[in-house]
Amino acid sequence: MALSRRQFVGGAVAVAGAAGTTGFTTPARSTPLWREFEAAPYTHPQIPYVGRAGAHGGARRAPRPRVVANALAHGAVPDARRGASDVHGTDSAPAINRALAEAGERGGGTVLLPPGTYRIDDYLRIGHSGVVLRGAGSGRTTLLATRHLTELIGPYGSRYGGDKSSWSWAGGLIWLSPQARHASLVAAIRGRAWPFEGWTGNKRDEWSTLTTVRPGRRGDRTVTVDDPSALRRGRLVVLRLADDADHTLLEHMAGGGAGPEAYVWDDKTKLTSYVPYEWPVRITAVRGRTVTLERPLPLDARPEWDPRLISGAEALTDSGVVGLTLEAVETPQSPHLLDKGYNGVTFQGAYDCWAEDVVVRHVDNGFGLVAASACTLRRTRVEGRGSHHPYFCREGAHDNLIEDFRIAARTVPAPAGTQLHGINVEGLSSYNVWSRGVMEMGTFDTHRGMPFANVRTEITVENNGRHGGDASAGPLYGARFAHWNVTVTNGRAGLVKIDTVAPYSATVGISEVREFDQTDVPDFTGELHARVEAYGSPGSVRPGNLYEAQRALSRR
């Protein structure tokens, strides 16, 4: 693939020009859509407000907690070496896990993993808040993983039946998840009681009401509650919205109107299992019964949806992985949906957590956000023999930021029967951002389950992947998807030019493309209220990066 208009420099994407598909540079111009958005940033019908996506409201620098341990002192040995068919050296996983657990039990801190190559025969667990695993840089510290999650934990079937392996979209060989929640997940998997994976437990019944919420509108920064006694500044809560018998909440997520009202929702059993919608958010102020939230309301809070603030499972906060490469033993990619779990880094039940300067290689699935919110993946890369989901974002994951990312071209041909997706989002996940990326393979995998209000901006893609998604998971798109300044190097339209399939969407500044191979039809009848601007001229629009422009707007 030719990436002549972008280079990946020092882990960040640099735009070298602004030519459209004709090869001529088009003068940058502020789009009418952007001017509309500036006038109403929290309530625009096509563009979501994502200006505070990511850990700590999109902070440019991750916290650097004090160093409390060196993994070498706990017995880790950087003596791993690759043999002809296996890995030799000391298993350092027990030592690293001891260091991480002890750091957490003592209140948090950084565990150093000095330069070298370490064999790990188990997966690494970060289960305490405030714990960071820090290598010496992705080019200097390497973990060689010898076993997959099916070996380490057991087979993981689908709660929806069939012979699928849920390791195709869950779990990681570095797994950041709160200790108690993680233990319950592993117990359920080993007991073959296939769990829900989100904020409210394996059966979605582990929550308690803090207070009910009075009616509010999408974009409101404050809500009125009935009882503020359990609320305080800094507390992380979950906004819970239940659907009604007429599925008006799902209709609202789709933008409302005749199309969503005519849609048949009742037989979409996987989709309806994702409801209630659960949105974690931190409280920034409590004054009487008025509560200010860290981010604006993602949806209306209407009485018929029984809006309430709840406490779910305790979240993992302020934890991360920095400066290392995780490489699995190179095995052939598994047939579609039968992944064994050579997975990379996964955040689950996490908030304000991060990965930075991390590479994963030869994995089934790369970086995962599973019921994770307000997390940042920065300067991450997926490479090697090819992945099913290089990046996956699912099970109600919200407000995450993936920036300066790269999916490298596969190093071996894809085996028959395998599948490639790309930057995935599904399961009512919302307000997530993919920014400044180079995708040498894959696609914008919107995987049914009606994700909504997500942004992909300033990305170059060789659009050769395919999306997935069970028909019972319902629509591909809800309202307010925005694809902004996207260069498509092979001219394929699928899942990038979305004005004919996504309701209330914005397709702005993308390459001229054509339909071929996997072509989708709209889920909703009638007018979609989608917008297209600067078609055929990537790089010509101003602002060039929708997320960065929103960040700047929020600082005014």
Side-chain angles (χ1 to χ4, degrees), residues 169-375:
W169 53 75
L173 292 171
I174 301 177
W175 199 335
L176 297 92
S177 182
Q179 191 173 34
R181 183 73 184 97
H182 185 79
S184 71
L185 284 166
V186 170
I189 294 166
R190 288 177 171 159
R192 295 179 176 264
W194 313 131
F196 285 92
E197 298 159 304
W199 294 98
T200 50
N202 295 342
K203 297 181 180 179
R204 299 198 73 180
D205 59 357
E206 297 175 22
W207 57 274
S208 58
T209 298
L210 300 173
T211 183
T212 52
V213 176
R214 296 293 178 90
R217 300 298 300 273
R218 174 173 68 91
D220 288 352
R221 284 294 301 274
T222 62
V223 294
T224 301
V225 301
D226 290 319
D227 179 6
S229 61
L231 308 181
R232 67 180 185 279
R233 182 178 184 271
R235 180 164 189 175
L236 184 62
V237 297
V238 176
L239 172 69
R240 183 182 190 271
L241 299 176
D243 207 358
D244 58 15
D246 294 327
H247 300 296
T248 59
L249 175 60
L250 291 173
E251 291 173 3
H252 178 54
M253 292 175 182
E261 289 171 6
Y263 187 79
V264 177
W265 301 96
D266 284 326
D267 62 348
K268 310 304 186 296
T269 52
K270 183 179 286 190
L271 174 66
T272 54
S273 78
Y274 297 148
V275 183
Y277 175 80
E278 295 168 347
W279 179 67
V281 66
R282 201 175 295 281
I283 293 171
T284 59
V286 180
R287 293 183 177 88
R289 294 194 298 117
T290 299
V291 178
T292 304
L293 305 176
E294 185 176 29
R295 294 173 174 86
L297 282 181
L299 296 163
D300 291 353
R302 300 180 187 173
E304 56 265 36
W305 303 331
D306 189 23
R308 57 183 69 200
L309 298 180
I310 66 170
S311 62
E314 183 177 354
L316 184 78
T317 61
D318 293 307
S319 294
V321 181
V322 180
L324 57 81
T325 290
L326 171 65
E327 179 176 325
V329 292
E330 186 171 357
T331 58
Q333 187 176 346
S334 297
H336 190 217
L337 300 176
L338 298 178
D339 295 350
K340 296 176 180 178
Y342 283 117
N343 297 345
V345 181
T346 291
F347 296 81
Q348 186 163 4
Y351 194 97
D352 280 342
C353 293
W354 66 92
E356 187 166 354
D357 182 28
V358 176
V359 175
V360 297
R361 185 179 297 131
H362 303 320
V363 292
D364 294 337
N365 302 282
F367 291 89
L369 296 158
V370 181
S373 293
C375 293

Side-chain angles (χ1 to χ4, degrees), residues 402-422:
I402 302 94
E403 67 178 358
D404 299 326
F405 67 94
R406 187 169 194 143
I407 301 172
R410 63 190 316 135
T411 54
V412 297
T418 61
Q419 188 60 273
L420 165 66
H421 297 312

Side-chain angles (χ1 to χ4, degrees), residues 99-148:
L100 293 169
E102 288 185 18
E105 290 162 2
R106 293 175 180 175
T110 295
V111 173
L112 293 180
L113 199 57
T117 302
Y118 302 80
R119 172 177 174 158
I120 57 170
D121 295 344
D122 196 359
Y123 70 103
L124 303 184
R125 296 175 282 282
I126 298 179
H128 294 87
S129 292
V131 174
V132 175
L133 177 61
R134 179 178 291 274
S138 60
R140 302 182 66 203
T141 298
T142 298
L143 300 167
L144 290 182
T146 64
R147 303 174 73 192
H148 50 70

Side-chain angles (χ1 to χ4, degrees), residues 2-147:
L3 293 179
S4 59
R5 293 184 55 252
R6 291 177 180 255
Q7 292 98 23
F8 199 76
V9 180
V13 177
V15 179
T21 56
T22 62
F24 295 101
T25 300
T26 305
R29 59 188 182 277
S30 180
T31 73
L33 263 171
W34 175 251
R35 293 193 293 272
E36 289 177 13
F37 178 83
E38 284 185 299
Y42 300 144
T43 57
H44 193 275
Q46 281 88 13
I47 300 174
Y49 175 75
V50 293
R52 293 185 59 80
H56 298 284
R60 281 302 181 217
R61 293 189 177 182
R64 294 180 66 95
R66 66 188 181 90
V67 174
V68 296
N70 186 313
L72 300 183
H74 287 261
V77 182
D79 64 350
R81 61 193 186 282
R82 301 169 186 83
S85 59
D86 58 4
V87 176
H88 304 288
T90 305
D91 175 18
S92 291
I96 299 170
N97 277 326
R98 278 196 302 272
L100 293 169
E102 288 185 18
E105 290 162 2
R106 293 175 180 175
T110 295
V111 173
L112 293 180
L113 199 57
T117 302
Y118 302 80
R119 172 177 174 158
I120 57 170
D121 295 344
D122 196 359
Y123 70 103
L124 303 184
R125 296 175 282 282
I126 298 179
H128 294 87
S129 292
V131 174
V132 175
L133 177 61
R134 179 178 291 274
S138 60
R140 302 182 66 203
T141 298
T142 298
L143 300 167
L144 290 182
T146 64
R147 303 174 73 192

